[in-house]
Amino acid sequence: SSELTQDPAVSVALGQTVRITCQGDSLRSYYASWYQQKPGQAPVLVIYGKNKRPSGIPDRFAGSSSGNTASLTITGAQAEDEADFYCNSRDSSGNRLYVFGTGTKVTVL
Amino acid sequence: QVQLQQWGAGLLKPSETLSLTCAVYGGSFSGYYWSWIRQPPGKGLEWIGEINHRGSTNDNPSLKSRVTISVDTSKNQFSLKLSSVTAADTAVYYCARQFVVEATFLYYDAIDIWGQGTMVTVSS
C-alpha cells in the first residue's frame, strides 16, 4: 500500500511563512487533502483538490503539488495555527483505499 | 448543518468485538462515502474503511479482514465492527463524511465532516 511521508515537526515565527510537505507515489495521480488537528479535537479540513479551501478557512492556507510532493503553505502564521497537520490521499493502486500522512507538528514561535 | 454523532462501548477486553455507530443529522445520506478513521494515543491518523449508501465497502488491508462496515439508510446511520481486538486497537475512533468530485480529467475528494470521536480502550 502507499505511504505518505511528512516531516515530524516544523516551527515558524509569528507572522512568517511555513511550508509543510507530504511525499508519496500516489500524489503523482491524486490530489492530497490537508487536515489541521488541535489537541483533543477532531481534525478539520483546510485544503482539498487543487488548492480549494472550505468555507471558513482563512486564505493564509494554500495548497500546491508537484510530482510526488504535495505542500501546504501558511502565509502569515498566527498563534492559533499551532497544531498537527495531516495530508491524506487515495492509494496509488487506484482502488478506493486511503492513507494519511505521518503528520507534522507546527509550532508558532 | 450536517452533524455526525457517534456512540459505542469504550472499554473492551482482548478478543472482543468493537462496535460503533454513527448517525448523520441534517443532510443527505446518499452521494457520499461514510468513513471510519482511528488515532492511537499520541499517534497519527489511520484510515479504517468506508461505505456508501448502496452498501459498497472498502477497508484497510492492514486490518486483516477484521473490519465490517454496514449501513442502515432508513436511520441514516452506519456502523463499524472490528473483531478480535487487542491493545493495539486502543484509539480514538472517528466517523466521517467523504465527498468526491469526479468529472472528465478531474478527480478530487476530501473528508469534510467528522464525528466527535470515541475513545476505545482494550485492556484485560
Side-chain angles (χ1 to χ4, degrees), chain A residues 1-8 19-34 64-72 85-92 99-104:
Chain A
S1 63
S2 298
E3 291 183 350
L4 295 177
T5 302
Q6 300 180 237
D7 290 331
R19 186 170 73 172
I20 306 162
T21 60
C22 171
Q23 288 191 300
D25 287 342
S26 63
L27 300 178
R28 298 184 184 278
S29 304
Y30 298 104
Y31 287 114
S33 52
W34 289 92
S64 61
S65 184
S66 179
N68 73 336
T69 302
S71 301
L72 173 69
F85 288 83
Y86 295 91
C87 58
N88 175 256
S89 181
R90 193 161 157 175
D91 185 88
S92 58
V99 61
F100 283 94
T102 49
T104 298

Side-chain angles (χ1 to χ4, degrees), chain A residues 8-81:
Chain A
V10 297
S11 60
V12 57
L14 185 67
Q16 297 304 301
T17 297
V18 63
R19 186 170 73 172
I20 306 162
T21 60
C22 171
Q23 288 191 300
D25 287 342
S26 63
L27 300 178
R28 298 184 184 278
S29 304
Y30 298 104
Y31 287 114
S33 52
W34 289 92
Y35 303 86
Q36 177 188 47
Q37 186 181 33
K38 297 180 180 179
Q41 297 183 17
V44 172
L45 176 67
V46 294
I47 289 289
Y48 65 97
K50 188 176 181 182
N51 192 25
K52 296 182 181 297
R53 283 176 289 106
S55 173
I57 301 300
D59 61 6
R60 63 179 179 270
F61 291 91
S64 61
S65 184
S66 179
N68 73 336
T69 302
S71 301
L72 173 69
T73 301
I74 308 174
T75 302
Q78 302 299 302
E80 61 264 32
D81 298 336

Side-chain angles (χ1 to χ4, degrees), chain A residues 35 37 52 90 96 98, chain B residues 39 50 58 107 109 111:
Chain A
Y35 303 86
Q37 186 181 33
K52 296 182 181 297
R90 193 161 157 175
R96 279 199 62 86
Y98 288 82
Chain B
Q39 185 172 36
E50 64 177 13
N58 299 286
Y107 177 93
D109 54 25
I111 298 167

Side-chain angles (χ1 to χ4, degrees), chain B residues 62-111:
Chain B
S62 72
L63 293 170
K64 296 182 172 57
S65 303
R66 296 191 292 132
V67 171
T68 302
I69 300 175
S70 59
V71 65
D72 185 340
T73 54
S74 68
K75 295 181 180 179
N76 277 14
Q77 294 177 1
F78 61 107
S79 298
L80 169 70
K81 291 189 187 299
L82 180 66
S83 63
S84 305
V85 298
T86 69
D89 295 311
T90 294
V92 175
Y93 286 74
Y94 294 100
C95 61
R97 185 181 83 169
Q98 181 171 45
F99 67 89
V100 175
V101 175
E102 190 166 14
T104 305
F105 303 119
L106 175 67
Y107 177 93
Y108 59 84
D109 54 25
I111 298 167

